[in-house]
């Protein structure tokens, strides 16, 4: 069985495209070969800036011959039906057979597909792969029609056997496949032949090319960390930058250079970001001071002066870049020390979203909500409001304009320069977090308040204007915002009524959307409405009561009449609130899936009171999940479902509800009496345990019901002929359901 080696040699492939291209080449070629009937033992894909490589071991020599029987029309069918069958099979009438069928005699075709040699199939599959390769961006060159990410120069395609290598015959846009390749562009540009993958990899290494990107990355990191260690320094880890740099070179040569003394006082994040974004340099830190003092660059060749000329050029360019950064930093510090007023004024003219107003309007909403949230997270309300007012000021700074990824980080530095309290400066950075599943959480109460307010305002705003995530599209990162709130709440063990906060901000945004049509009296009314909902209640009866109460205090022009936007508010806002809270619950299910909590268990807990308290919800779901994994829990669930199903069927049949009146005096069997006693005992424990959120005790009391419920069903017939006993037993089943449903809605748990 031969091995297959493919190399597509081109001009430099952008580093960001190489990983996906490797996988696409591997998948498209292997899928095509398998579809054509070939098999293989293993496949590996590699890339360098100038080549995509695929190596397959144990490829079949030939595809198998296949025979397929296909049933056709009846022999007396219209001529057109027969002609269509002949076209589909590619046979003539004489090649068809006739067989007896239950509907009479019918035509049968035996289609034989002869096996083909691997080389023929490989040539077809590779040509199709090259012509239809899914590059994010591609180009044409010369007079040909082929599109590739950069001009394609050569194709190496060989089948290797013990007795030698065979070139796969194929031509793509005038490029003939061969068995030759080239080494490093500068250090070994000559062409050479290869006979196998092992021969190919070894010769390329001698020609100063490492084809495995993982090997190049390891080499870079090893040499960089060793060079830093030798000087008592450490390289700042950046896996994304390491992968990118490994895609920029075929023969990595690590060089360490110095940063100009005049730039060392810049914040380390500024130095690191500037060097990474503009120069693809790694930062080297002094672990004693935390300052960035040197850089590591990776050249693509060895030089006679050991990289001195390369380093000199890099340091010259770096100095120019860092001079810009220093200029921005010094200008920004002057504004920060004056109180950041200039930046806050600029945000009046910066649009956050064309339907949601300016950044300044957004800051005003976040500040107001931060004040509301602060007491719930043990923060001082004035500090939280002040932190929210300045947290986004750095968006107008020159440094963040140049490096948007530094927003928040620079805000902390500028708040410190302005002489603000440490917790306010910290909130400027931490209110953006968490930005990803492994990112740190805000833990300071002021930071928590501003972080939650920021994300809640964003979510509520986009829900009000109906620009929610759809499918895989989430242009405003709303899923990330919801997950950030969930992680912050759970990570800090916060007890929040999330629905009330959602409703507060939905009201704020709905009012903002309608301000053009209301007068001063209306604005006063609406402020009262928001305050009442924020502090005293949620939608439903409480919301309507607030509306009715305030309606009575207003004059004629502001009555809640049918067809007005305020009447629409009464009708639509509760639904929007429910939808947004449901979005949080969906994100929570995804988040908890990693720890093994099933969706149906969470759904069972969502049906209970307090489902907008995420910490309580998760605590209840974990306790229920652990209980259901026990033998008692699993059996009790089955007993509950049995009782509930019998009860539902009886109520549907009789047209009445069996919801009260179960009395032990009508018990005919001792198991009934025992079940009554067990339910009384369980109720006495479960209700107070749930009130005090002692779910373990409540679940333990439920576990005690397993034996009496099982004994009851084993001993008695519920639908007995005695109507009084039957009614009493059905009411007893409702007691079982009612007792168990104090813990969670077990009807939602799958069996």
């Amino acid at each position: 069985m031969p091995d297959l080696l493919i190399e597509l040699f081109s001009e430099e492939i952008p580093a960001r495209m190489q990983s996906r291209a490797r996988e696409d080449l591997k998948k498209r070629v292997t899928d095509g070969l398998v579809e054509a009937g070939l098999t293989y033992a293993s496949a590996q894909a590699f890339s360098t800036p100038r080549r995509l490589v695929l190596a397959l071991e144990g490829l079949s020599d030939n595809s198998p011959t296949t025979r397929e029987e296909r049933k056709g029309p009846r022999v007396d069918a219209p001529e057109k039906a027969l002609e269509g069958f002949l076209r589909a099979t590619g046979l003539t009438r004489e090649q068809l057979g006739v067989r007896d069928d239950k509907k009479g005699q019918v035509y049968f075709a035996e289609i034989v597909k002869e096996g083909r040699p691997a080389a023929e199939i490989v040539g077809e599959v590779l040509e199709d792969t090259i012509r239809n390769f899914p590059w994010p961006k591609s180009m044409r060159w010369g007079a040909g029609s082929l599109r590739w990410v950069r001009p394609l120069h050569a194709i190496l395609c060989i089948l290797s056997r013990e007795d030698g290598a065979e070139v796969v015959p194929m031509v793509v846009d005038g490029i003939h496949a061969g068995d030759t390749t080239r080494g490093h562009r500068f250090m070994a540009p000559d062409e050479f032949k290869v006979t196998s993958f092992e021969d190919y990899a070894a010769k390329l290494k001698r020609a100063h090319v490492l084809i495995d990107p993982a090997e190049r990355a390891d080499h870079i990191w090893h040499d960089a960390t060793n060079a830093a260690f030798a000087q008592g320094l450490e390289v700042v880890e950046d896996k994304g930058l390491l992968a990118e740099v490994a895609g920029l070179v075929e023969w990595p040569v690590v060089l360490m250079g110095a940063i100009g003394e005049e730039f060392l006082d810049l914040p380390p994040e500024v130095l690191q970001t500037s060097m990474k974004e503009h120069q693809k340099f790694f930062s080297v830190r002094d672990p004693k001071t935390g300052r960035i003092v040197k850089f590591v660059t990776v050249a693509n060749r060895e030089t006679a002066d050991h990289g001195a000329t390369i380093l000199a050029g890099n340091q010259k360019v770096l100095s120019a870049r860092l001079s810009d950064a220093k200029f921005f930093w010094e200008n920004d510090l002057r504004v920060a020390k004056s109180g950041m007023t200039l930046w806050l004024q600029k945000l009046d003219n910066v649009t956050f979203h064309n339907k949601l107003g300016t950044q300044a309007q957004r800051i005003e909403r976040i500040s107001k909500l931060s004040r509301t949230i602060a007491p719930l997270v043990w923060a001082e309300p004035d500090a939280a409001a002040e932190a929210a007012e300045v947290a986004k000021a750095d968006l107008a700074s020159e440094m963040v304009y140049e490096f948007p990824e530094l927003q928040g980080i620079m805000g902390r530095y500028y708040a410190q320069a302005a002489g603000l309290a440490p917790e306010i400066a910290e909130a400027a950075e931490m209110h953006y977090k968490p930005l990803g599943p492994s990112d740190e959480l805000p833990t300071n109460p002021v930071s928590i308040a501003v972080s939650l307010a920021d994300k809640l305002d964003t979510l509520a705003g986009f829900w009000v204007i109906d620009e929610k995530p759809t499918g895989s599209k989430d242009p405003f990162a709303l899923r990330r915002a919801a997950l950030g709130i969930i992680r912050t709440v759970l990570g800090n063990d916060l007890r929040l009524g999330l629905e009330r906060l959602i409703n507060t901000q939905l009201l704020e945004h709905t009012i903002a959307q309608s301000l053009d049509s209301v007068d001063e009296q209306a604005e006063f009314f609406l402020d009262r409405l928001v305050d009442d909902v924020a502090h005293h209640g949620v939608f439903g009866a409480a919301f309507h009561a607030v509306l009715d109460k305030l309606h009575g205090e207003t004059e004629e022009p502001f009555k809640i009449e049918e067809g007005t936007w305020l009447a629409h508010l009464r009708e639509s806002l509760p639904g929007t609130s429910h939808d947004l809270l449901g979005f949080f619950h969906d994100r929570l299910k995804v988040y908890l899936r990693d720890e093994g909590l099933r969706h149906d268990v969470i759904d069972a807990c969502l049906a209970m009171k307090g489902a907008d308290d995420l910490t309580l919800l998760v605590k209840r779901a974990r306790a229920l999940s652990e209980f259901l994994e026990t033998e008692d829990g699993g059996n009790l669930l089955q007993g509950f479902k049995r009782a509930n199903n019998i009860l539902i069927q009886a109520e549907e049949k009789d047209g009445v509800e069996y919801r009260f009146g179960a009395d032990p005096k009508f018990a005919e069997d001792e198991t009934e009496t025992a079940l009554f006693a067990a339910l009384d005992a369980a109720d006495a424990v479960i209700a107070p345990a749930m009130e005090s959120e002692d779910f373990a005790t409540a679940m333990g009391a439920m576990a005690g019901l397993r034996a009496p419920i099982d004994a009851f069903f084993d001993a008695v017939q519920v639908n007995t002929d005695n109507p009084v006993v039957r009614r009493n037993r059905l009411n007893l089943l409702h007691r079982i359901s009612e007792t168990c449903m104090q813990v969670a809605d077990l009807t939602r748990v799958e069996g």
Side-chain angles (χ1 to χ4, degrees):
M1 301 178 78
D3 296 335
L4 173 64
L5 173 62
I6 296 170
E7 181 199 71
L8 305 176
F9 187 86
S10 68
E11 294 295 328
E12 274 71 8
I13 304 167
R16 67 182 183 279
M17 298 185 186
Q18 291 176 26
S19 176
R20 175 67 182 273
R22 290 195 301 270
E23 295 305 313
D24 284 338
L25 177 64
K26 180 179 175 181
K27 177 173 173 49
R28 286 179 173 253
V29 171
T30 55
D31 285 357
L33 296 179
V34 170
E35 188 177 337
L38 297 180
T39 61
Y40 63 95
S42 64
Q44 298 179 86
F46 306 96
S47 65
T48 77
R50 303 177 72 203
R51 61 200 89 212
L52 287 180
V53 180
L54 179 65
L56 270 65
E57 291 185 351
L59 188 67
S60 307
D61 281 300
N62 300 279
S63 63
T65 298
T66 61
R67 288 177 170 78
E68 175 191 357
E69 284 192 346
R70 193 177 298 179
K71 182 180 176 182
R74 289 170 48 177
V75 294
D76 57 352
E79 190 67 22
K80 286 187 177 181
L82 178 59
E83 291 174 0
F85 183 61
L86 293 174
R87 282 196 302 272
T89 59
L91 302 178
T92 64
R93 185 192 297 258
E94 292 73 23
Q95 292 174 305
L96 299 180
V98 177
R99 296 183 187 176
D100 290 328
D101 190 66
K102 58 184 178 182
K103 294 184 179 180
Q105 289 191 316
V106 297
Y107 287 111
F108 265 85
E110 184 180 22
I111 304 171
V112 179
K113 290 185 178 179
E114 296 292 341
R116 297 189 297 155
E120 182 180 331
I121 295 172
V122 168
E124 291 177 1
V125 169
L126 183 55
E127 180 178 358
D128 178 72
T129 298
I130 293 172
R131 291 193 180 280
N132 299 288
F133 203 80
W135 292 109
K137 291 184 179 180
S138 59
M139 62 180 292
R140 288 175 53 234
W141 62 94
S145 60
L146 178 65
R147 300 190 69 88
W148 200 246
V149 63
R150 296 289 185 270
L152 183 64
H153 291 316
I155 300 170
L156 183 152
C157 187
I158 58 174
L159 289 169
S160 305
R161 297 178 176 83
E162 292 183 1
D163 58 350
E166 166 194 4
V167 175
V168 174
M170 63 168 293
V171 183
V172 180
D173 222 45
I175 304 172
H176 292 258
D179 58 358
T180 61
T181 187
R182 296 176 182 273
H184 192 278
R185 182 188 289 273
F186 307 113
M187 302 171 70
D190 294 336
E191 197 174 80
F192 55 85
K193 284 190 175 186
V194 298
T195 58
S196 66
F197 174 69
E198 292 76 14
D199 182 48
Y200 169 81
K203 287 181 177 177
L204 274 180
K205 198 165 190 176
R206 289 196 294 271
H208 303 286
V209 175
L210 298 177
I211 63 166
D212 187 349
E215 183 181 358
R216 296 196 299 274
D218 289 343
H219 177 85
I220 292 168
W221 188 248
H222 177 269
D223 284 7
T225 52
N226 279 356
F229 179 77
Q231 299 185 38
L233 306 173
E234 61 185 16
V235 182
V236 177
E237 186 175 11
D238 190 329
K239 293 181 180 179
L241 178 60
L242 181 60
E244 183 178 8
V245 172
L248 294 173
V249 296
E250 290 194 319
W251 191 253
V253 177
V254 171
L255 305 171
M256 181 180 291
I259 299 172
E261 198 66 40
E262 66 273 25
F263 305 120
L264 294 181
D265 288 332
L266 286 172
E269 295 90 348
V270 171
L271 289 170
Q272 187 176 346
T273 302
S274 179
M275 292 192 294
K276 173 183 176 178
E277 294 300 316
H278 294 311
Q279 306 301 124
K280 308 304 177 190
F281 291 172
F282 293 91
S283 297
V284 180
R285 177 171 54 207
D286 184 342
K288 297 176 183 177
T289 63
R291 298 170 70 193
I292 304 295
V293 294
K294 293 199 172 187
F295 68 88
V296 164
T297 185
V298 181
N300 190 32
R301 61 176 299 175
E302 297 171 356
T303 60
D305 62 359
H306 305 291
T309 303
I310 295 174
L311 268 181
N314 282 334
Q315 287 171 320
K316 185 177 181 180
V317 174
L318 179 61
S319 292
R321 292 292 189 184
L322 294 183
S323 294
D324 291 341
K326 184 179 180 183
F327 176 78
F328 298 148
W329 169 245
E330 291 172 348
N331 281 353
D332 287 345
L333 278 182
R334 282 192 287 270
V335 177
K337 290 176 181 178
S338 67
M340 296 185 277
T341 306
L342 177 63
W343 291 338
L344 294 173
Q345 291 172 348
K346 283 184 178 181
L347 294 179
D348 276 322
N349 300 315
V350 177
T351 300
F352 169 62
H353 185 279
N354 61 348
K355 294 181 181 179
L356 297 176
T358 65
Q359 286 285 6
Q361 291 170 326
R362 181 175 179 230
I363 289 169
E364 184 179 353
R365 291 192 303 269
I366 295 171
S367 179
K368 187 176 179 181
L369 184 58
S370 296
R371 185 180 291 278
T372 300
I373 294 173
L376 307 176
V377 298
W378 310 287
E380 208 284 315
D382 289 341
E386 184 182 2
E389 288 169 2
V390 301
K392 296 187 182 296
D394 67 333
L395 294 176
S397 68
E398 294 184 44
M399 188 70 79
V400 172
Y401 182 83
E402 179 71 13
F403 300 114
E405 59 271 39
L406 289 179
Q407 60 184 283
I409 295 172
M410 300 313 301
R412 172 167 54 84
Y413 282 111
Y414 298 146
Q416 290 170 343
L420 298 178
E423 63 270 20
I424 293 176
E426 181 181 331
E429 177 181 3
M430 296 303 296
H431 83 282
Y432 286 105
K433 296 179 179 292
L435 294 174
S438 59
D439 197 17
E440 62 180 320
L441 300 176
T443 54
N444 182 282
V446 172
S447 297
I448 292 171
V450 181
S451 175
L452 293 176
D454 179 31
K455 295 172 179 61
L456 277 168
D457 180 76
T458 300
L459 287 160
F462 284 105
W463 247 252
V464 165
I465 64 175
D466 197 26
E467 292 198 20
K468 298 173 280 190
T470 56
S472 61
K473 296 181 180 179
D474 187 9
F476 303 108
L478 301 182
R479 292 189 181 98
R480 186 176 71 186
L483 187 57
I485 291 173
I486 290 168
R487 287 191 58 212
T488 300
V489 168
L490 298 182
N492 289 287
D493 199 27
L494 301 176
R495 301 301 302 273
L496 301 176
L498 195 59
E499 186 178 32
R500 178 158 61 90
L501 300 175
I502 288 172
N503 297 337
T504 300
Q505 222 53 15
L506 287 174
L507 271 171
E508 287 280 7
H509 279 284
T510 304
I511 291 166
Q513 298 292 309
S514 310
L515 281 180
D516 291 342
S517 61
V518 298
D519 55 21
E520 290 183 8
Q521 180 198 7
E523 289 191 38
F524 171 75
F525 172 93
L526 295 171
D527 286 341
R528 289 280 308 280
L529 178 62
V530 172
D531 288 343
D532 270 35
V533 171
H535 293 97
H536 301 300
V538 297
F539 287 120
F543 174 62
H544 294 299
V546 170
L547 278 177
D548 292 338
K549 174 188 172 185
L550 295 178
H551 176 200
E553 299 175 8
T554 61
E555 297 177 3
E556 184 70 22
F558 209 70
K559 284 187 176 179
I560 306 174
E561 298 175 351
E562 185 177 354
T564 64
W565 74 269
L566 193 59
H568 176 69
L569 174 71
R570 184 198 287 271
E571 297 164 3
S572 66
L573 216 50
T576 306
S577 171
H578 179 75
D579 186 55
L580 180 50
L581 186 59
F583 181 74
F584 275 100
H585 289 154
D586 288 342
R587 293 296 94 205
L588 180 66
K589 291 177 187 178
V590 174
Y591 176 67
L592 294 177
R593 182 174 57 197
D594 291 339
E595 66 175 73
L597 275 178
R598 297 179 352 219
H599 282 200
D600 58 328
V601 171
I602 300 172
D603 285 335
C605 297
L606 284 173
M608 308 304 290
K609 182 181 177 181
D612 67 328
D613 183 341
L614 301 184
T615 299
L616 174 65
L617 174 63
V618 172
K619 185 178 177 183
R620 188 196 301 259
R622 285 171 176 158
L624 179 59
S625 179
E626 291 173 6
F627 173 65
L628 293 176
E629 288 173 0
T630 66
E631 183 180 357
D632 282 343
N635 288 330
L636 177 65
L637 177 64
Q638 299 312 311
F640 165 83
K641 286 185 174 291
R642 184 176 179 183
N644 201 53
N645 289 338
I646 294 172
L647 181 63
I648 291 172
Q649 291 168 8
E651 289 181 339
E652 289 178 353
K653 177 183 176 183
D654 301 342
V656 297
E657 290 185 345
Y658 297 102
R659 302 296 170 96
F660 57 89
D663 194 328
K665 72 182 180 182
F666 296 112
E668 291 187 339
D669 190 275
E670 61 182 14
T671 60
E672 287 181 86
T673 305
L675 181 54
F676 272 108
L679 289 169
D680 289 339
D683 283 335
V685 174
I686 291 174
M690 294 301 294
E691 187 69 26
S692 62
E693 300 176 10
D694 184 359
F695 299 120
T697 298
M699 301 296 173
M702 278 181 57
L705 293 174
R706 176 221 169 161
I709 290 175
D710 288 348
F712 171 77
F713 281 122
D714 289 342
V716 307
Q717 180 182 352
V718 175
N719 290 307
T720 181
D721 292 335
N722 185 325
V724 175
V725 175
R726 175 177 180 270
R727 185 183 310 112
N728 196 59
R729 287 175 178 170
L730 289 171
N731 283 321
L732 181 57
L733 295 188
H734 174 68
R735 274 210 64 190
I736 294 174
S737 176
E738 189 177 42
T739 299
C740 293
M741 293 275 276
Q742 293 179 79
V743 174
D745 185 354
L746 298 184
T747 62
R748 298 172 184 261
V749 180
E750 298 173 3

